[in-house]
């Protein structure tokens, strides 16, 4: 693609001139403002800020040498031709004045009357001009730059925070419309002269929201403009990587490279996922050949509706060994509906999204005749094995979800990794940076030592102040590999048990699955409320199954990774693993730090059982006392529950859990009396389960512990089988049974029943439902669980980077 300055008879492509709309004036009373700040429907921007600061601490790198050239490899001839066009007076005034070395439409930023909004229209007009003369891109429609700083982009969820990018580049949107979040190609923030926060933090908010809104984005490009200085940032699952800043007047060709690259490069190089496309559901109803489209080409797509489906190809299992995948044969899956997409909004991490899926070959069948699979999309640390490889090593076993297929995502014929296909082998320069530093007005001192930040802080109207993080605990970014997994087993979270008998049967079979995995050399390491499913099957063996082997290891050969964080879901992790110290009941000193073993996973099963015995007052009904009670907690049940499962201070969790095993009277006097009447038949099982674990820790001998625990569950099952279900909960059981029939397949989401006060998009990797919600809908005076919200509420982080 090239461009030559045409003669006067052939005018240059004319980009539309943008004029900043007037700011709408809205008067708010104090009560209206307070109501907005505490709305139960919208996420507050401050909440998003706090999460980003915590999540991305130590994962932000800037001033990367060679960034623009590697990320935007635009041909030098095209850049020269565009620059010539920008300097040409045809038609009208030139865009760039070579004599004055400046873009002609930009204001004097040193003027006393300079305001940030004066940069919006000039930048948009220059960007649209450069886009127009860059030429067409057959991969996508022309990029459109626009500015609507007074209006937040529309969202498909009702809970999005009120965020307003200053400038955006969008795809597939007419010029007279404001682009919704999922159509935004590149967000941009202009530095506010009086802003106490870094412009980068605002860009991260936008990038996070786009991840949530768009399931076909692998990374997001963001831009900041501070006076005349531009910085470019990539947000991917490894964190944030930023460019060197450049002055758009002194270095106009860098600006041209950036804008032309956004227009001319393939979408796969600009963050989009070419392996996921949308298909109209009508083509399957009419038995037509599906036409795969980019999401920005489908304006009426609604993630909460079924008018369009995502369609994805997966490696096909080999005929001679279904645990191995074919190198050439593929099969196509239609993603019917999402199960859990909230974690996809996480920038740093696995970004896991889960859908229910059908095989495309079965789409001609009625819905109730199609085989339903679970489709999982995630990014794993390259130092860990693929989850599918773990299932393959385990094989088909009772109590373990059945794998159908798995593989690494290929983009443009290469493995999709953050270091290779996204960052293009760029490595961070220097230390990670603080993003949450207050942007002060401080006059720099030329005499101060270089390391004295207290006097080296500039007044940051022309750049963000992002000081380095000096810490020995920080580690470099880790390469993430994009992979997918399809399971043939489905079910419902164990929290949706119909009776104590169903709970015991499901947990017993899942524990059997854990034993079978352990015998094949695999340790799960993340037993939790969401990773045990009830399948609804009646025959023993698979009434409950263990899922999510993301954190599992080959325990016989596993070597601890230097920066490997705790693995598991915090409320259910053994205090030995959580505190990295042996139980006090161990009768002799052990010098080594506890090594995660089968006993610790079995203890996690114990905490899952105890948790459910605390919180359930009936089938799928949460105990009223653990919903409506405001903090600080008051009752004995509330205090004990929070200390064991919801304490914000990890030390409180550790000490509280240790006491249950270290002090003989704690279980009998402080725990068992708090079990709900509905779960009281489980009291003997909980006591026996506790005794098995206690004796194992006292001797620190774990031989045969699986069999002992399974035998205890078998005794409990035999006892419960003969108990009639005339406990007054038959209506609730029928309600849940009907929900399962309609659902067709269970949800892996373990979110709280509360729907209206949620964070959108949701945060980091999740754990269990909260005890403090008071907004759940009522059902006959009780509080039922609801199907998961599309934007679940924030929860405490799993310990996995």
């Amino acid at each position: 693609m090239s461009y030559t300055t045409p003669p006067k008879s052939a005018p240059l492509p004319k980009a539309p001139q943008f004029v900043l709309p007037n700011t709408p004036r809205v008067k708010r009373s104090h009560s209206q403002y307070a109501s907005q700040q505490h709305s139960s429907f919208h996420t507050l921007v401050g909440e998003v800020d706090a999460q980003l600061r915590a999540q991305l601490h130590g994962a932000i790198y800037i001033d990367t040498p060679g960034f623009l050239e590697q990320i935007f490899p635009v041909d030098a001839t095209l850049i020269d031709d565009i620059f010539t066009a920008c300097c040409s007076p045809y038609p009208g005034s030139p865009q760039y004045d070579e004599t004055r070395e400046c873009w002609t439409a930009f204001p004097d930023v040193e003027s006393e009357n300079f305001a940030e909004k004066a940069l919006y229209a000039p930048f948009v007009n220059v960007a649209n001009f450069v886009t127009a003369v860059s030429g067409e891109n057959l991969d996508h429609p022309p990029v459109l730059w626009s500015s609507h700083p007074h209006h937040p982009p529309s969202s498909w969820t009702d809970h999005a925070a009120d965020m307003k990018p200053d400038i955006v580049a969008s795809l597939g949107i007419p010029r007279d419309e404001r682009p919704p979040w999922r159509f935004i190609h590149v967000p941009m923030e202009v530095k506010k002269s009086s802003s106490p926060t870094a412009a980068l933090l605002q860009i991260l908010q936008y990038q996070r929201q786009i991840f949530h809104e768009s399931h076909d984005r692998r990374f997001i490009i963001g831009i900041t403009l501070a006076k005349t200085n531009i910085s470019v940032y990539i947000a991917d699952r490894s964190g944030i990587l930023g460019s060197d800043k450049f002055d758009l007047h002194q270095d106009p060709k860098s600006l041209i490279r950036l804008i032309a690259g956004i227009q001319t490069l393939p979408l796969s190089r600009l963050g989009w996922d070419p392996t996921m496309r949308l298909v109209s559901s009508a083509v399957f109803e009419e038995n037509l050949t599906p036409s795969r489209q980019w999401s920005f080409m489908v304006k009426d797509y609604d993630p909460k509706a079924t008018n369009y489906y995502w369609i994805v190809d997966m490696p096909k299992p080999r005929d001679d060994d279904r645990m191995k995948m074919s190198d050439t044969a593929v099969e196509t899956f239609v993603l019917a509906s999402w199960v859990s997409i909230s974690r996809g909004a996480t920038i740093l991490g696995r970004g896991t999204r889960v859908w229910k899926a059908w095989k495309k070959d079965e789409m001609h069948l009625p819905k109730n005749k199609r085989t339903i699979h679970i489709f999982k999309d995630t990014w794993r640390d390259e130092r860990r094995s693929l989850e599918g490889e773990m299932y393959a090593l385990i094989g088909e076993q009772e109590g373990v979800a059945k794998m159908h297929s798995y593989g690494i995502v290929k983009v443009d014929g290469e493995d999709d990794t953050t270091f290779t296909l996204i960052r293009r082998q760029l490595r961070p320069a220097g230390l990670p940076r603080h993003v949450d530093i207050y942007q002060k007005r401080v006059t720099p001192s030329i005499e101060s030592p270089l390391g004295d930040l207290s006097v080296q802080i500039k007044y940051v109207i022309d750049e963000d102040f992002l000081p380095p993080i000096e810490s020995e605990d920080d580690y470099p970014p880790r390469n993430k590999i994009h992979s997918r997994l399809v399971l043939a087993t489905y079910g419902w979270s164990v929290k949706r048990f119909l009776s104590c008998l169903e709970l015991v049967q499901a947990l017993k079979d899942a524990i059997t699955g854990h034993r079978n995995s352990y015998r094949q050399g695999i340790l799960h390491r993340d037993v939790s409320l969401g990773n045990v499913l009830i399948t609804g099957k009646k025959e023993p063996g698979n009434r409950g199954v263990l899922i999510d082997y993301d954190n599992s290891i080959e325990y016989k050969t596993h070597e601890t990774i230097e920066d490997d964080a705790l693995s598991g879901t915090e409320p259910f992790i053994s205090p030995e693993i959580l505190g990295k110290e042996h139980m006090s009941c161990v009768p002799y000193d052990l010098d080594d730090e506890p090594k995660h073993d089968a006993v610790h996973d079995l203890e996690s099963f114990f905490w899952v059982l105890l948790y459910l015995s605390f919180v359930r007052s009936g089938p799928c009904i949460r105990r009223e006392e653990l919903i409506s009670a405001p903090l600080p907690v008051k009752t004995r049940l509330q205090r004990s529950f929070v200390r064991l499962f919801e304490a914000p201070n990890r030390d409180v969790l550790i000490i509280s859990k240790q006491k249950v095993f270290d002090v003989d009277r704690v279980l009998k006097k402080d725990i068992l009396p708090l079990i709900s009447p509905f779960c009281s038949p489980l009291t003997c099982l909980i006591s026996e389960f506790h005794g098995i674990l206690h004796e194992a820790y006292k001797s620190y001998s774990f031989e045969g512990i699986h069999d002992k625990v399974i035998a205890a569950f078998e005794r409990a099952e035999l006892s419960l089988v003969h108990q009639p279900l005339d406990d007054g909960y038959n209506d609730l059981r029928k309600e849940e049974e009907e929900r399962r029939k309609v659902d067709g397949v269970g949800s892996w989401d373990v979110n709280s029943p509360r729907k209206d006060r949620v964070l959108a998009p949701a945060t980091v990797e999740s754990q269990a439902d909260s005890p403090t919600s008071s907004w759940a809908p009522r059902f006959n005076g009780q509080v039922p669980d609801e199907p998961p919200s599309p934007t679940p509420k924030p929860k405490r982080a799993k310990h996995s980077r």
Side-chain angles (χ1 to χ4, degrees):
M1 205 182 303
S2 63
Y3 177 82
T4 304
T5 304
K8 292 184 179 182
S9 59
L12 287 169
K14 187 175 181 180
Q17 293 299 297
F18 173 81
V19 179
L20 185 68
N22 293 326
T23 304
R25 182 172 178 80
V26 179
K27 295 183 68 175
R28 291 188 178 92
S29 67
H30 175 77
S31 60
Q32 288 174 319
Y33 178 78
S35 174
Q36 182 189 45
Q37 294 304 302
H38 299 284
S39 166
S40 62
F41 292 94
H42 287 86
T43 303
L44 303 181
V45 175
E47 294 175 320
V48 179
D49 283 354
Q51 292 171 13
L52 287 169
R53 291 186 183 107
Q55 181 193 119
L56 294 172
H57 181 80
I60 298 173
Y61 294 84
I62 64 174
D63 300 333
T64 307
F67 182 99
L68 286 178
E69 291 74 18
Q70 282 290 89
I71 303 301
F72 303 99
V74 180
D75 184 74
T77 302
L78 176 60
I79 294 174
D80 290 340
D81 290 344
I82 295 173
F83 180 69
T84 301
C86 290
C87 297
S88 170
Y90 313 112
S93 302
Q95 294 284 332
Y96 187 81
D97 188 328
E98 286 188 279
T99 303
R100 296 168 51 215
E101 294 186 342
C102 67
W103 296 93
T104 56
F106 275 72
D108 180 5
V109 296
E110 303 301 334
S111 168
E112 292 183 0
N113 298 322
F114 167 71
E116 166 199 322
K117 65 180 182 180
L119 293 173
Y120 299 165
F123 186 91
V124 167
N125 290 329
V126 166
N128 280 326
F129 180 88
V130 171
T131 298
V133 297
S134 295
E136 293 184 357
N137 188 331
L138 299 179
D139 199 25
H140 60 78
V143 174
L144 176 66
W145 294 83
S146 61
S147 178
H148 302 279
H150 313 307
H151 303 277
S154 60
S155 169
W156 61 264
T157 173
D158 298 329
H159 311 293
D162 186 19
M163 298 180 291
K164 307 177 184 73
D166 292 329
I167 298 171
V168 298
S170 58
L171 291 169
I173 291 294
R175 299 187 184 280
D176 57 346
E177 293 185 20
R178 297 199 306 269
W181 281 111
R182 70 179 182 90
F183 288 85
I184 293 178
H185 190 31
V186 178
M188 182 172 174
E189 187 68 15
V190 178
K191 180 69 180 180
K192 296 180 180 179
S193 59
S194 58
S195 174
T197 58
L200 173 56
L201 187 57
Q202 293 171 283
I203 283 294
L204 298 181
Q205 295 171 15
Y206 309 149
Q207 291 170 318
R208 180 180 179 274
Q209 185 68 28
I210 295 171
F211 266 132
H212 174 70
E213 301 272 342
S214 308
H215 308 324
D216 54 349
R217 301 297 285 271
R218 297 157 45 240
F219 65 95
I220 313 291
I221 296 169
I223 303 172
T224 62
L225 170 60
K227 273 190 166 179
T228 62
N229 291 324
I230 286 183
S231 297
V232 187
Y233 299 94
I234 280 178
D236 61 23
R237 306 305 183 180
S238 293
I240 308 298
L241 190 68
S243 70
D244 283 321
K245 67 178 180 181
F246 66 89
D247 187 296
L248 59 84
H249 293 302
Q250 297 176 10
D251 191 1
K253 290 188 177 181
S254 287
L255 177 62
I256 291 172
R257 175 185 292 277
L258 173 63
I259 303 301
I262 291 171
Q263 164 62 19
T264 63
L265 291 175
L267 289 176
S268 60
R269 291 210 57 151
L270 297 171
W272 295 80
D273 187 347
T275 68
M276 287 188 70
R277 299 290 182 94
L278 284 174
V279 172
S280 171
S281 57
V283 303
F284 299 115
E285 297 169 3
E286 300 170 10
N287 202 24
L288 302 174
T289 302
S291 174
R292 305 187 184 194
Q293 303 178 75
W294 291 105
S295 61
F296 56 79
M297 300 296 291
V298 184
K299 192 171 182 180
D300 59 341
Y301 165 62
D302 182 356
K304 294 179 288 187
T306 57
N307 55 338
Y308 285 88
Y309 296 129
W310 291 102
I311 192 166
V312 185
D313 294 331
M314 287 291 295
K316 194 172 184 178
R318 282 169 37 178
D319 293 333
D320 59 334
D321 185 350
R322 296 196 60 81
M323 290 294 109
K324 295 180 180 179
M325 302 299 112
S326 170
D327 293 329
T328 55
V330 299
E331 56 186 348
T332 303
F333 283 88
V334 177
L335 309 190
S337 61
W338 49 262
V339 175
S340 177
I341 58 173
S342 60
R343 300 177 188 177
T346 305
I347 294 178
L348 175 65
R350 290 180 289 175
T352 303
R353 295 184 175 104
V354 183
W355 285 270
K356 301 173 190 178
W358 299 307
K359 287 185 179 180
K360 185 173 78 69
D361 293 344
E362 295 184 356
M363 292 301 291
H364 65 283
L365 300 173
K367 287 184 179 181
N368 60 352
K369 299 295 183 181
R370 301 170 191 165
T371 305
I372 302 179
H373 296 78
I374 292 295
F375 182 95
K376 185 175 181 180
D377 181 280
T378 192
W379 295 76
R380 68 172 178 89
D381 189 314
E382 69 173 349
R383 299 169 297 173
R384 295 187 182 278
S385 300
L386 287 175
E387 185 179 4
E389 293 172 344
M390 293 301 186
Y391 279 107
L393 290 171
I394 296 168
E396 293 191 15
Q397 301 283 350
E398 287 188 343
V400 178
K402 181 180 178 181
M403 180 190 70
H404 177 80
S405 60
Y406 71 97
I408 295 174
V409 177
K410 301 281 187 180
V411 173
D412 300 331
E414 298 183 54
D415 290 352
D416 191 15
T417 70
T418 55
F419 279 12
T420 302
L421 284 194
I422 296 178
R423 302 189 175 196
R424 302 289 166 176
Q425 304 297 344
L426 288 171
R427 292 293 186 264
L431 296 170
R433 300 304 182 106
H434 279 289
V435 73
D436 56 346
I437 295 298
Y438 191 85
Q439 305 289 292
K440 296 181 180 180
R441 291 175 180 250
V442 177
T443 303
S445 169
I446 59 174
E447 298 178 356
S448 62
L450 183 61
D452 186 355
L453 293 178
S454 64
V455 291
Q456 284 294 322
I457 302 174
K458 288 186 177 181
Y459 169 44
V460 287
I461 186 174
D462 57 349
E463 64 177 311
D464 276 345
F465 173 54
L466 305 172
I469 300 175
E470 302 283 355
S471 172
E472 296 179 357
D473 297 329
D474 289 307
Y475 297 91
R478 297 301 180 187
N479 190 24
K480 299 294 181 66
I481 299 178
H482 194 184
S483 61
R484 289 172 179 150
L485 171 75
V486 177
L487 294 179
T489 303
Y490 56 86
W492 300 270
S493 168
V494 71
K495 74 172 184 176
R496 305 197 71 94
F497 65 95
L498 296 172
S499 64
C500 290
L501 175 62
E502 186 178 56
L503 175 61
V504 168
Q505 291 172 336
L507 287 176
K508 173 199 158 188
D509 288 358
I511 293 170
T512 302
H514 188 277
R515 180 189 64 183
N516 293 339
S517 301
Y518 194 73
R519 287 175 174 175
Q520 300 300 318
I522 305 301
L523 180 64
H524 188 280
R525 298 203 310 167
D526 189 13
V527 174
S528 63
L529 194 66
N531 289 343
V532 178
L533 298 187
I534 295 172
T535 64
K537 296 181 179 179
K538 302 302 180 183
E539 64 277 9
N542 287 304
R543 296 167 297 186
V545 295
L546 199 55
I547 63 169
D548 196 354
Y549 279 77
D550 263 345
N551 288 311
S552 62
I553 58 171
E554 296 179 65
Y555 68 89
K556 294 179 181 178
T557 59
H558 176 72
E559 295 183 3
T560 302
I561 300 172
E562 182 182 12
D563 61 335
D564 197 9
L566 286 175
S567 175
T569 306
E570 196 164 273
F572 310 109
I573 299 177
S574 165
E576 276 208 342
I577 303 304
L578 202 58
K580 300 182 180 181
E581 290 183 0
H582 290 284
M583 293 277 195
S584 301
C585 62
V586 176
Y588 49 87
D589 292 334
L590 297 175
D591 295 332
D592 296 334
E593 182 180 304
K595 182 181 179 181
H596 203 138
D597 208 339
V599 67
H600 302 110
D601 277 6
L602 289 173
E603 187 187 338
S604 294
F605 277 108
F606 171 81
W607 294 119
V608 168
L609 176 62
L610 186 61
Y611 177 96
L612 292 171
S613 300
F614 269 22
V615 303
R616 283 295 178 255
S617 62
C620 304
I621 297 296
R622 192 180 182 91
R623 219 164 165 178
E624 184 76 21
E625 192 175 351
L626 294 179
I627 294 177
S628 58
L631 293 176
V633 294
K634 297 177 181 179
T635 69
R636 181 183 174 192
L637 171 62
Q638 293 165 353
R639 286 194 299 270
S640 296
F641 182 80
V642 170
R643 287 172 182 169
L644 287 171
F645 299 106
E646 297 288 347
N649 187 324
R650 184 184 295 175
D651 290 338
V652 175
L653 287 175
I654 295 169
I655 294 171
S656 301
K657 283 179 161 61
Q658 283 179 338
K659 282 184 178 179
V660 174
F661 288 99
D662 292 344
V663 183
D664 292 337
R665 64 175 176 81
V666 168
L667 181 76
K668 184 176 181 181
K669 293 186 177 182
D670 298 338
I671 302 297
L672 297 182
L674 301 178
I675 292 174
S676 71
F678 173 66
C679 294
S680 60
L682 302 173
T683 301
C684 291
L685 172 60
I686 291 171
S687 182
E688 186 176 359
F689 197 170
H690 172 271
I692 294 170
L693 293 171
H694 183 62
E695 289 301 317
Y697 281 125
K698 282 177 64 177
S699 63
Y700 229 74
S701 173
F702 310 132
E703 186 70 27
I705 190 171
H706 279 103
D707 295 332
K708 295 176 183 178
V709 173
I710 292 170
F713 273 81
E714 287 175 345
R715 288 188 286 272
E717 182 181 0
L718 287 174
S719 173
L720 291 167
V721 162
H722 302 293
Q723 293 187 11
L725 290 179
D726 55 354
D727 50 9
Y729 295 109
N730 288 334
D731 288 343
L732 290 173
R733 289 193 183 94
K734 289 179 181 178
E735 186 95 3
E736 171 61 12
E737 288 170 349
E738 287 301 315
R739 190 200 66 81
R740 293 182 184 183
K741 289 179 182 178
V742 173
D743 184 40
V745 57
S747 169
W748 291 11
D749 203 296
V750 290
N751 298 304
S752 165
R754 89 192 226 189
K755 292 174 60 179
D756 47 358
R757 181 68 184 95
V758 295
L759 195 66
T763 62
V764 294
E765 330 238 74
S766 67
Q767 42 107 346
D769 46 347
S770 165
T772 58
S773 171
S774 60
W775 299 287
R778 295 302 195 260
F779 179 84
N780 292 337
Q782 295 174 300
V783 183
D785 276 344
E786 294 289 334
S789 163
T791 51
K793 76 178 187 70
K795 304 179 194 132
R796 204 170 290 115
K798 273 188 182 178
H799 293 280
S800 162
R801 189 171 180 180

